Amino acid sequence: MATLVRSASPQADAVERRGADLVWRALEHAGASVVFGYPGGACLPLYDALPDHAGVHHVLVRHEQGAAHMADGYARATGRVGVCVATSGPGATNLVTGLACAYMDSVPIVAITGQVSTPMMGRDAFQETDVLGMVGSITKHSYLVERVEDVEPTIHQAFEVARSGRPGPVLVDIPKDIQLRTAAARPKPSAPAAAPRGADARELDRAAALLAGAQRPVIIAGHGVRLARAHGELRVLAERIDAPVVTTLLGIGAIAADHRLAAGMLGMHGSAEANRMVNDADVILGVGLRFDDRVTGKISAFAPRARIIHADLDPTQIGKNVPTEVGIIADAGAVLFALATRLDATSRPEWSGRLAAGRARPRLAAYEDRVELPPRLVVRAIRETASDDAYFVADVGQHQMWAAQHLRLTQPDRFLTSGGLGAMGYALPAAIGAQLGRPASEVWAIAGDGGAQMTIHELGTAVQEQTPVKLAILNNGYLGMVRQWQQLFHGGRISQTPISSPDYVKLAGAYDVLGICVELRRELGPALERAKAHRGPVVLDIRIEREANVWPIVPPGGANADLIEEPLA
Ligand SMILES: Cc1ncc(C[n+]2csc(CCOP(=O)(O)OP(=O)(O)O)c2C)c(N)n1
Ligand SMILES: [Mg+2]
């Protein structure tokens, strides 16, 4: 709970301001130029003060879940802290999914919530919810501000907590009377220097010795590599020891997909190459990941021949899911750099050369010629149409895995998705947030027909903000990922997975958004080009093959080595 900063500042500004003003002032000082929010009773003073703060651009969302996902997309695309604001009670409860998503995926967010006035707290007042109690397990930290003097320091501390170490969301709950009281404003604090956390030299030596003795090393790169912006260090180490690099879902982009050592994604829907290489590896260096179950498959059969080195900023991750021989608690960039300086250049053509051999294998299925719009063809077409610098935001489901497998991104940090929480409805709002953070870049959201319908109302936000996001709905008429599991693992009993959709072209029209329906292969390229050229938001309703499955798949409870490959058509 709240650890409050209670220092009467000696250099406080003589002018007294309302707590509400101090909130925006602190946000301006913290560099929050874009804030996603929604007003209500318990934050009326905040919104009353907002017009006096020209340094903050406030984005009015359509649902507070959208505000949290937008702050998340903004943070992932820019590397800065995302900020969202909501009122007490229903406003705060609506933030929960977005905060949980950011927490699971280590995304820095500061959420500001209004709270009922302090004399009313604990009386089940109108729109009172125990927000701190609610978000305890899905935030790094949360604060209740009980004195107006604490407003600015608490917000600054929240930013510091959100972005330092392993990043994550932080919530600041501010009662209405605190927003109305006045206090002296404080000068802008100087930005604390972020020192990357260095690694323990002995652990590094042990890790280097293991890698030096390895015949078949593999590096697994997780989100931590991207968060540390350690793409360069990763490539240097991988090339130096000639080790294949596999990534987690959130590690996609840590290494360019066309690099000779890039082995693709690991785990449940990972590539056969990635899973086989991890299965055969004798030493694994895992950097910036938590080895979650979608990555490891059946733990007892994970990387059965490998001794594991695990480097992560978060000490609680080491040894949590897989037995680790060497644990290094440090920033990914520091670890990768330090290991590269300790190791000699090595070449192991038989091992790393397996990758090239795997790539040369002929395509497994000829079905692409028979089906009008096979999903991976659609993903590849989106990739080919989009600019090199484009951001891709995937929702959750089959389309997410097709995007992960077939976008084959070469630029770092262009793939945004809800990994740990797997929150359907993420893509459109996160894409809007990413677009506001990266106004000069193209942003493509790739969603399913199920997930799209969870947050499609945020088209209203895209229109009001004039964010030209391109939403490609891979429409299969199903909650496809669940249908796939029902087909493969529940005896084919289809239960509550066929789902209807509105006419997305008409729906887009109602929002004054360009809507395009694609039913034929020959319509796809021109439709994507038109979407790209259009200056406003676009909705593409792409009628993909209805019952396509994601391959390979590791059956639930199975070992990665037992992955099922695409059946030969
Ligand atoms: C909020 C939420 N509810 C339920 C789920 C469970 N779930 C995972 S994938 C999926 C189906 C997604 O369907 P759709 O958006 O159409 O994508 P598709 O798999 O068809 O590509 C469901 C229901 C989830 N991940 N998130
Ligand atoms: Mg679907």
Side-chain angles (χ1 to χ4, degrees):
M1 244 244 337
T3 335
L4 286 174
V5 192
R6 288 179 192 268
S7 61
S9 165
Q11 323 108 310
D13 181 348
V15 189
E16 292 259 321
R17 293 172 215 247
R18 286 181 302 173
D21 278 300
L22 298 174
V23 169
W24 296 116
R25 192 180 140 91
L27 291 174
E28 281 172 326
H29 283 167
S33 47
V34 184
V35 169
F36 306 91
Y38 206 86
C43 56
L44 266 169
L46 280 184
Y47 280 88
D48 185 51
L50 175 61
D52 299 331
H53 297 268
V56 176
H57 174 69
H58 182 277
V59 175
L60 179 66
V61 301
R62 295 299 179 271
H63 182 295
E64 291 86 351
Q65 179 185 353
H69 287 328
M70 285 180 210
D72 172 310
Y74 177 91
R76 291 194 212 215
T78 60
R80 298 166 67 184
V81 177
V83 181
C84 55
V85 178
T87 192
S88 67
T93 57
N94 278 349
L95 287 179
V96 166
T97 300
L99 294 177
C101 172
Y103 185 69
M104 293 286 280
D105 286 354
S106 311
V107 179
I109 287 182
V110 169
I112 311 265
T113 46
Q115 183 52 279
V116 301
S117 291
T118 46
M120 301 303 292
M121 286 177 71
R123 297 169 178 238
D124 287 341
F126 177 65
Q127 294 193 329
E128 179 183 9
T129 301
D130 173 11
V131 180
L132 265 55
M134 194 170 72
V135 302
S137 60
I138 53 166
T139 49
K140 273 181 88 175
H141 200 65
S142 50
Y143 302 87
L144 172 66
V145 180
E146 291 173 290
R147 304 188 325 157
V148 64
E149 293 77 16
D150 297 331
V151 166
E152 285 180 287
T154 307
I155 289 176
H156 288 302
Q157 201 172 321
F159 271 77
E160 190 46 32
V161 172
R163 71 179 148 224
S164 61
R166 179 180 179 185
V170 177
L171 185 136
V172 183
D173 199 28
I174 312 178
K176 191 169 183 178
D177 55 328
I178 305 297
Q179 298 170 37
L180 290 167
R181 256 176 239 159
T182 59
R186 294 168 182 242
K188 179 178 175 174
S190 48
R197 172 151 182 173
D200 181 284
R202 268 173 324 181
E203 299 300 338
L204 282 171
D205 291 341
R206 289 180 57 209
L210 269 187
L211 284 166
Q215 307 289 316
R216 299 180 309 280
V218 169
I219 303 175
I220 308 179
H223 198 196
V225 175
R226 289 175 55 186
L227 288 167
R229 305 275 184 251
H231 313 85
E233 288 90 338
L234 173 66
R235 186 169 40 75
V236 168
L237 177 66
E239 287 172 358
R240 191 161 182 83
I241 62 172
D242 203 12
V245 178
V246 306
T247 76
T248 64
L249 176 66
L250 295 186
I252 286 176
I255 185 161
D258 58 359
H259 191 283
R260 75 174 174 89
L261 291 169
M265 183 173 76
L266 171 71
M268 179 171 280
H269 291 297
S271 70
E273 265 88 52
N275 281 314
R276 290 203 183 107
M277 294 207 90
V278 168
N279 192 59
D280 295 344
D282 61 351
V283 175
I284 283 175
L285 169 64
V287 187
L289 78 159
R290 65 176 184 280
F291 288 99
D292 86 1
D293 49 288
R294 282 291 192 269
V295 163
T296 60
K298 186 163 125 197
I299 290 268
S300 58
F302 175 71
R305 296 159 188 85
R307 301 164 80 178
I308 298 177
I309 305 161
H310 186 187
D312 201 283
L313 253 187
D314 179 352
T316 65
Q317 299 308 316
I318 311 284
K320 182 173 83 175
N321 291 333
V322 293
T324 302
E325 187 152 331
V326 182
I328 307 174
I329 300 154
D331 177 82
V335 173
L336 292 164
F337 178 80
L339 287 175
T341 58
R342 280 171 165 78
L343 287 160
D344 295 329
T346 320
S347 156
R348 43 185 116 247
E350 251 176 59
W351 174 236
S352 62
R354 266 173 56 172
L355 280 175
R359 277 188 206 114
R361 261 201 308 257
R363 295 221 65 79
L364 276 170
Y367 92 103
E368 277 188 17
D369 294 335
R370 295 198 315 268
V371 174
E372 194 58 36
L373 285 170
R376 61 190 176 202
L377 178 136
V378 173
V379 171
R380 278 191 232 123
I382 293 174
R383 176 68 205 92
E384 277 154 28
T385 308
S387 309
D388 254 2
D389 159 62
Y391 287 81
F392 299 89
V393 188
D395 212 81
V396 174
Q398 291 184 310
H399 61 280
Q400 177 189 32
M401 294 301 129
W402 289 318
Q405 294 172 341
H406 303 296
L407 280 174
R408 295 192 50 81
L409 301 178
T410 50
Q411 298 281 317
D413 287 324
R414 292 301 190 275
F415 187 62
L416 282 51
T417 196
S418 171
L421 192 68
M424 286 170 69
Y426 173 82
L428 176 60
I432 294 170
Q435 183 78 81
L436 281 151
R438 296 281 182 208
S441 299
E442 254 169 55
V443 179
W444 293 77
I446 299 176
D449 43 330
Q453 291 187 70
M454 284 200 172
T455 50
I456 193 86
H457 49 263
E458 297 301 346
L459 280 179
T461 309
V463 170
Q464 194 163 348
E465 289 296 321
Q466 301 183 336
T467 46
V469 291
K470 321 296 177 202
L471 170 63
I473 302 173
L474 271 54
N475 187 349
N476 53 11
Y478 281 110
L479 301 173
M481 184 58 95
V482 183
R483 183 206 51 77
Q484 175 170 349
W485 281 54
Q486 290 175 340
Q487 182 197 328
L488 297 180
F489 309 122
H490 291 268
R493 275 183 307 284
I494 299 302
S495 172
Q496 299 301 314
T497 44
I499 186 168
S500 69
S501 273
D503 179 330
Y504 290 109
V505 174
K506 279 192 191 156
L507 181 79
Y511 278 103
D512 210 9
V513 161
L514 172 63
I516 311 173
C517 182
V518 178
E519 287 174 296
L520 300 174
R521 189 181 292 202
R522 64 178 152 74
E523 298 167 342
L524 181 62
L528 292 172
E529 287 298 344
R530 193 170 157 218
K532 178 182 160 102
H534 187 68
R535 294 163 69 93
V538 182
V539 174
L540 290 142
D541 174 6
I542 307 175
R543 306 289 175 84
I544 58 163
E545 180 190 2
R546 286 177 51 101
E547 296 187 1
N549 286 334
V550 181
W551 304 107
I553 181 170
V554 176
N560 284 353
D562 302 332
L563 59 79
I564 311 172
E565 292 216 57
E566 180 161 3
L568 283 164

